[in-house]
Amino acid sequence: MPAPTKIHYHKQSRELELEFADDQSFRLSAEYLRTHSPSAEVRGHGLQMPILQYGKKDVTIQNVEGAGNYALKISFNDGHDTGLFTWEYLYNLGTNYDELWKMYLDRLEKEGQTRDTSVIQLHQL
């Protein structure tokens, strides 16, 4: 998988823009990237089902840095900064966005969770 030819974070829309040499381009929200992080915290330790991330609607990206010639390390404002987003993983997130996002939203609903941080905080009081 070749490296992206363009990587740009749009702060206002909170989207990471990626362009690849095959003319594929994606704009992935910070929330989508955070909830689909390849880290063990999200993917689990050998679990079949990823650990559901919720209340991440307002998350932002604080920093994006290259990790060798194969990945990005993304730091989020909720303190999450583990897991390397390889070029292949990012490409997969972009090409399968509709299916992955729908599965995520369906799981949130099934488990009685929400994307909204303020609702999460009220439930914890």
Side-chain angles (χ1 to χ4, degrees):
M1 173 65 54
T5 56
K6 178 181 179 181
I7 301 169
H8 179 74
Y9 180 58
H10 299 270
K11 286 184 182 179
Q12 193 152 6
S13 64
R14 297 188 315 241
E15 293 176 319
L16 185 67
E17 180 180 5
L18 301 158
E19 291 181 8
F20 289 85
D22 65 355
D23 292 328
Q24 288 284 340
S25 63
F26 312 106
R27 285 180 69 134
L28 307 175
S29 72
E31 177 187 15
Y32 178 66
L33 291 167
R34 175 62 180 87
T35 59
H36 290 81
S37 170
S39 69
E41 175 189 330
V42 175
R43 303 300 308 158
H45 296 276
L47 301 174
Q48 293 286 5
M49 180 70 72
I51 300 164
L52 182 63
Q53 304 296 301
Y54 53 88
K56 303 298 180 186
K57 183 178 180 181
D58 298 320
V59 75
T60 62
I61 293 175
Q62 286 188 314
N63 191 43
V64 177
E65 59 186 90
N69 292 321
Y70 68 97
L72 294 177
K73 180 178 179 185
I74 302 175
S75 300
F76 298 90
N77 71 334
D78 67 351
H80 183 75
D81 66 354
T82 59
L84 295 178
F85 290 81
T86 64
W87 306 143
E88 183 177 2
Y89 191 76
L90 288 165
Y91 193 89
N92 180 58
L93 287 177
T95 56
N96 296 300
Y97 173 84
D98 291 337
E99 178 184 353
L100 292 170
W101 189 242
K102 183 180 182 328
M103 287 172 47
Y104 171 70
L105 295 176
D106 289 348
R107 187 167 173 215
L108 275 178
E109 184 177 345
K110 180 181 176 187
E111 295 192 22
Q113 298 295 345
T114 180
R115 296 172 53 213
D116 191 354
T117 307
S118 61
V119 174
I120 301 297
Q121 292 170 346
L122 288 174
H123 286 276
Q124 292 176 346
L125 293 177

